[in-house]
Amino acid sequence: MMAFLKLLARNQLALAGLVVMALVVLLALITPLLPLADPNATNTPARFTEPFSDGALLGTDHLGRDLLSRLMWGTRLSLAVGFAAAVIAATIGAAIGIIAGYYGGRTDNVIMRVVDVLMAFPYILLALAIVAALGPGLMNALIAVAAVNIPFFARNIRGITVGIANKEFVDAARLAGLSNTKIILTEILPNVIPVIVIAMSTTIGWMILETAGLSFLGLGSQPPVADLGSMLGEARSALITNPHTSIVPGVMILIIVMAINLLGDGVRDALDPRLKSGALSRPLPATLVDRTRQPGGPADETALLHLSDLQTQFHVGARIFRAVGGVDLRIQPGECLGLIGESGSGKSVTALSIMGLVASPPGKITGGSVFYRGEDLIGAPYEKLRSLRGRRVAYIFQDPLATLHPLYTVGEQLIEAVRSHYNTPKDEARAHAIDLLKSVRIPNAEDRVDNYPHELSGGMRQRVGIAMALANDPDVIIADEPTTALDVTVQAQILTLLDDLRRERDVAILFITHDFGVVAQLCDRVAVMYAGRIVEQGTTDEILSHPAHPYTSRLMACVPELGGGQRRLEAIPGLPPVVDNLPEGCAFADRCNKARDACRQGDIPLDTLGQTRRVRCIDPETEEATA
Amino acid sequence: MGRYILRRLISAIPVLLGISVIVFAIMAMIPGDPALAILGSYATPENVAELNRDLGLDKPLVQRYFVWLGNLLQGDLGRSFNLNRPVLDEVLERFNATLILAGTAFVLCSILGIAAGVMSAARQYGLADKAITFAVLLGISIPSFFLGMMMILIFAVNLRWFPVSGMWPIYGTRDIWALIDHLTMPALALSVVATGVIARLSRSAMLEVLRQDFIRTARSKGVHERGIVWRHALRAAMVSIIPVLGIQAGFVLSGAVYIERVFQWPGIGQMLVDAILRRDLLLVQGGVVFVAACYVLFNIIVDVAQSLLDPRIKT
């Protein structure tokens, strides 16, 4: 509760709303004590006095009544009526909702059908019908406004109650032999009341507006007593000659409703956990670049892609997560490089950083370079990045259901991939799309092209994902765990397909995975990633047969081998470190059984080991293995 | 698709029946003698007894409901005693005027609201976003009847851009330009609140969608940012925006009652308020049932639009 109030207080607009509302309520409460003129005392000779004149601060109305006094009394009445309507609607609505939700079955069914029908009315029609039946008058307007809002409360509270009625503590109360009434009063109601209060606070402004509206139409408060709505209604005839009589009550309604809305927004925001975590911020077209460190380099001109000292961070509140902490990778034309690591090791962020696809906020590239054919892409203009995305550097993502647009056919999405870069006529692009689907071995490509993603199986969807990556014959495909979401037989098919395609088309692949089996099947070289850095790099054969870094060898010890049933699978103790507070020295030291003091001091470089290998360890294992 | 529409139409029948029961029940709640209420206090006892017989009010409630429903289904909503003409004729004529006003306002608030919401989301925390957010807050807080009065004061009385009130010029031709001239201010005033609500919802729906994986996929294909926002994100966001458009149509229809009063628009809202003040109960009953039924049908259209937009809905 305190945390909630603190959050609310931090929202300045909500605070302003609260202050204004408190002030208005206070004034309304003390109105009878203030030295105001009689709100209903007419003084026709002094009608339509201008505001700020002697004896009438806000002027007088068409009968010479003091506007300030009428405004104060009117506000008092409007607030009281709005509040009463909210309380009545909330009480009756909640009672109905709780009964429907708690008893369920037929009771629930009948009640909810009636609620449905009531909600099928445009709300004011119902209010008008009720006022028509009861006759005009403030009390009847109040009843009408309360009545039309009952279904809203009933439906909301019913939903909450259904959730609570199936909880264990309610079952326990039933087993203890408590009566239904008692359970509702002692177990259900206390849990529902906060929801009722919040729903009430968000609708009270609405109720004030509605009763004012009915009064404005002449169906609410009757002369001489006036609430804000009927003041406005009476002033309408003098709108052109004496606008101040309309403006005074109108602005008051505006102030009240605005203050309540600000407060309501503040309450809603304070209760929404997504806002605090920044989960509702919009990712920019390309990842923000804020290179405080020198760009990496120099570029390796022979490599297709050269990542040099690449650093990507996530800034969440005061915490900085160094997801990628200086990664060096080279991908030669036509080669398949595997990037392997546990979840959270930074491999996906590395892959997304290449084309600036890390969501920012909160992501940010803070250092290093990504050279594409010798040209640094970090900090390149958006249009440059866009023209390379999908045309020269393409992506395949993990879950093909979430990564394909659900409302466009696969054909439309393939055509778009082509037409984002080339002015291909639509029919030509469509023919190309069908060819692409055939090349990823989708049967009946001519029909499938018009399917929506949800109409395809998981494996088919991933084939579409691959077809999309191939659409513009890229130089390199970055495949971010493309088989993880698929079942094993489909996995194997997709891997074979990727392997065939890369040999046919001579396209380089950066293959991100946590699976050594996949690496063995597909990759020429492997880089092992831990806590945002590369800890070992080499050819697939070397690394699989003689892992040099203790982490690699421990990781491989976790992989079950077919037919190797006798071997004990060794889990690595502990968890990967959280990357907002990395220890000095080797990030793996805490989990490594060879760790010594030297491991925890200074930066440990990625040293070369033999001709093709590099390892970030002061005590690599291969020396013994090769010795 | 045809079958889906048929199914939705059939499922609306119980709702329509429910509406008729509720309206009938509310009218049956009227304290005292309804015939006396209809005829006014000067009626002779013979007149009252005769009307009671005419209306079938001497019969039991349930029987009266079915008589009323039978007449209703044949298009007989009774006769307005004040206007001395069939209720249906009056209701149709007035509803026509309301449809022009509310329909225009609905189109306005849908287009303006969605456009504002999308622009706001596309430039989150930017200047445009802050300006739109503030305008939206103002828009949803101002009572439409007060806004309408202020618009008359500024744009009709002071600037003389538009006529003060009414639907047609008193003299002169009743052509489309005259109508637009009279329609602009009330339609704008009526659309403001709904525009604000739709803009708010569109903004949050867009922000939600813009974080989805398929947006990243579109970016990775090299789709222009304009295409990302308007083609990919908006299309997906529409799935959650369209139901709200349906709800807002009800609010626009409701708000029309106030706006018609402010601008002296000869619509059904004005008719209902006048009928209530004159105790012309058959007119109220007929008007309410008619408009509520139209709103139910409109919501079916919304559902069909939704199913056309989202292929995942089984039709």
Side-chain angles (χ1 to χ4, degrees), chain A residues 114 116-126 128-136 206 209-210 212-214 216-219 229 232 235-236 239-240 243 246-247 250-251 253-254 257-258 261-262 265 268 274-275 278-285 352 357 359 361-362 382-383 386 389-391 393-395 397 402-408 413-414 416-417 420-421 452 454 468 472, chain B residues 14-15 18-20 22-23 26-27 29-31 121-125 134 137-138 140-143 145-146 149-150 152-153 157 164 200 204 207-208 210-225 227-233 235-236 239 250-251 253-255 257-258 261-264 269 272-273 276-277 279 281 284 287-288 291-292 295-296 299 309-312:
Chain A
V114 174
D116 282 346
V117 172
L118 285 173
M119 290 187 100
F121 280 92
Y123 72 92
I124 204 172
L125 279 183
L126 207 52
L128 287 180
I130 294 172
V131 172
L134 301 178
W206 175 244
L209 205 52
E210 284 321 294
L214 287 178
F216 171 79
L217 294 174
L219 304 176
L232 200 54
R236 199 171 61 87
L239 171 66
I240 294 168
S246 305
I247 294 174
V251 168
I253 303 178
L254 176 62
V257 177
M258 190 132 141
N261 280 339
L262 280 174
D265 291 353
R268 203 194 47 205
R274 292 177 306 175
L275 270 174
L280 281 184
S281 58
R282 166 208 205 284
L284 293 168
L352 292 174
L357 289 171
Y382 164 72
E383 192 49 37
R386 190 197 69 75
R389 285 176 182 175
R391 191 172 63 90
V393 182
Y395 280 84
F397 295 104
T403 54
L404 292 174
H405 197 295
L407 305 179
Y408 288 110
Q413 301 189 51
L414 286 167
E416 186 188 35
S420 291
H421 298 288
Y452 289 95
H454 71 275
M468 208 141 80
N472 295 306
Chain B
V15 178
I19 283 175
S20 73
I22 285 170
V23 172
I26 291 174
M27 290 302 156
M29 278 186 337
I30 296 173
R123 292 174 180 73
Q124 194 191 16
Y125 303 134
F134 178 74
L137 177 72
L138 204 63
I140 59 174
S141 300
I142 197 164
F145 40 95
F146 179 55
M149 287 165 73
M150 291 302 106
I152 290 177
L153 209 54
V157 177
V164 171
R200 254 188 184 194
S204 62
L207 288 177
E208 197 105 335
L210 278 166
R211 295 203 71 86
Q212 304 275 324
D213 284 349
F214 59 81
I215 295 296
R216 191 184 57 196
T217 308
R219 289 212 166 106
S220 82
K221 290 198 291 191
V223 177
H224 284 274
E225 196 54 22
I228 298 282
V229 169
W230 292 98
R231 203 161 58 234
H232 284 260
R235 175 75 189 261
V239 171
F251 282 85
L253 209 50
S254 295
V257 176
Y258 305 124
R261 176 77 158 190
V262 172
F263 289 92
Q264 296 296 310
L272 286 173
V273 174
I276 292 171
L277 292 173
R279 311 288 292 147
L281 296 176
V284 176
V288 169
V291 177
Y295 181 56
V296 169
N299 270 316
L309 195 83
D310 189 346
R312 290 168 298 181

Side-chain angles (χ1 to χ4, degrees), chain A residues 52-128:
Chain A
F52 307 114
S53 53
D54 283 342
L57 191 59
L58 293 178
T60 57
D61 71 357
H62 59 291
L63 295 174
R65 296 175 293 196
D66 181 51
L67 262 182
L68 177 65
S69 172
R70 284 181 76 73
L71 179 73
M72 301 284 283
W73 284 96
T75 305
R76 189 177 152 88
L77 192 58
S78 278
L79 286 180
V81 170
F83 185 72
V87 170
I88 294 172
T91 311
I92 300 178
I96 294 173
I98 289 175
I99 290 172
Y102 179 76
Y103 288 101
R106 263 179 91 147
T107 321
D108 183 32
N109 228 325
V110 171
I111 291 178
M112 290 325 287
R113 287 297 82 75
V114 174
V115 165
D116 282 346
V117 172
L118 285 173
M119 290 187 100
F121 280 92
Y123 72 92
I124 204 172
L125 279 183
L126 207 52
L128 287 180

